[in-house]
Amino acid sequence: MVHAGLAQPPSPNAAAAAAAHVAHKIPTGDGPYARAKHYQLVEKDLDASIAWFWKVIETGDKVDSALKDMAVVMKQRGYLSEAVDAIRSLRHLCPGKQSQESLDNILLDLYKASSRTKEEIELLKRKLRKIYLGEAFPRGKATKRARSHGRKIHVSVQQETSRVLGNLAWAYMQQRNYMAAEAVYRKAQMVDPDANKACNLALCLIEQRRLADAELVLAHVIAGAYNAGGREHAGKIVKKAEELLERIRAETGGAGGGEEAGSEDGAEADEMEELLDEVAT
């Protein structure tokens, strides 16, 4: 990416500049980071903002914020590989524990967006091990601060474990490794049961032609045995469960079976069982 010839933001009057700073939470001043944010949020010139974020990193000021913001903007522009490379090569400049966790979360989004499922799985496994080793939360604390849809929230060890397990199981489903996905979803249900993961577990069982087992899981969902996260969401989950039951009824007695697990899938499932045995519930 070319860094030379950086665009200069227009010079609005003081009142307009102040209004922009407040509306878009742009840092005050005329430094490279403020200019990068100006192009990102006001001018909507994402390539110019990327160039300015590079400038921030080169100057060594606000590297943490600049790297995270730049990776997010690169994702918006479709520069997925470049964003991954930037984080991997520059994350050593952001030694803070919280910064490293934020960069891991951005990497997970980038891996998912670019279908780099194998790397996504490996990173999720590392996050699980950190939880097990007590490295994912402040020492002695049962909760930590996190962001969800732009809001600051407190997340418990149980909630974080369940979230990571759910993402890991879904990644295995994208690989069509339903044995490993089943093992992870079952562990997630032991940690923090919910209806959506139960439906996904049932889907894993259906793909393995274990229709009776899947039907039993779905019956519990429809009976309201799991948390569904509110009335509106619960209605969608029940509809999803009913659709899966219809699929089971259509397949019952039909010819052919599901995909037979390969040796690699079985080995991966065994590895996951060992890892999950370590994760505290």
Side-chain angles (χ1 to χ4, degrees), residues 85-205:
D85 291 343
I87 291 177
R88 285 177 168 178
S89 62
L90 297 170
R91 66 182 306 163
H92 67 280
L93 300 174
C94 312
K97 184 176 180 179
Q98 191 170 355
S99 297
Q100 290 295 314
E101 183 178 355
S102 295
L103 291 171
D104 278 344
N105 290 335
I106 295 171
L107 271 179
L108 286 171
D109 285 342
L110 291 167
Y111 290 152
K112 186 178 295 185
S114 52
S115 299
R116 295 167 68 161
T117 310
K118 184 176 181 180
E119 290 159 293
E120 181 187 357
I121 287 171
E122 289 305 313
L123 182 48
L124 287 167
K125 285 181 182 179
R126 289 201 297 273
K127 289 178 79 69
L128 264 185
R129 289 192 177 96
K130 285 183 179 180
I131 294 173
Y132 167 69
L133 294 171
E135 298 173 355
F137 282 69
R139 183 169 296 180
K141 298 288 183 68
T143 62
K144 68 177 180 179
R145 290 181 180 179
R147 283 189 174 274
S148 177
H149 305 291
R151 296 184 300 109
K152 290 183 179 180
I153 60 173
H154 281 84
V155 178
S156 69
V157 175
Q158 182 183 29
Q159 290 171 325
E160 180 68 359
T161 303
S162 178
R163 185 187 70 82
V164 175
L165 286 169
N167 290 338
L168 179 58
W170 183 254
Y172 276 126
M173 288 187 73
Q174 305 318 297
Q175 287 190 327
R176 306 181 73 80
N177 185 346
Y178 299 110
M179 287 180 67
E182 178 198 346
V184 181
Y185 274 129
R186 288 195 183 280
K187 186 66 176 184
Q189 290 298 82
M190 291 171 61
V191 174
D192 188 18
D194 75 62
N196 187 57
K197 292 188 185 74
C199 284
N200 288 338
L201 170 60
L203 181 56
C204 291
L205 295 168

Side-chain angles (χ1 to χ4, degrees), residues 194-199 218 221-222 227-229 231-243:
D194 75 62
N196 187 57
K197 292 188 185 74
C199 284
L218 294 169
V221 173
I222 293 174
N227 174 33
R231 181 178 298 178
E232 182 178 349
H233 191 58
K236 294 178 180 178
I237 292 294
V238 169
K239 182 178 179 182
K240 179 179 178 181
E242 290 172 343
E243 289 172 351

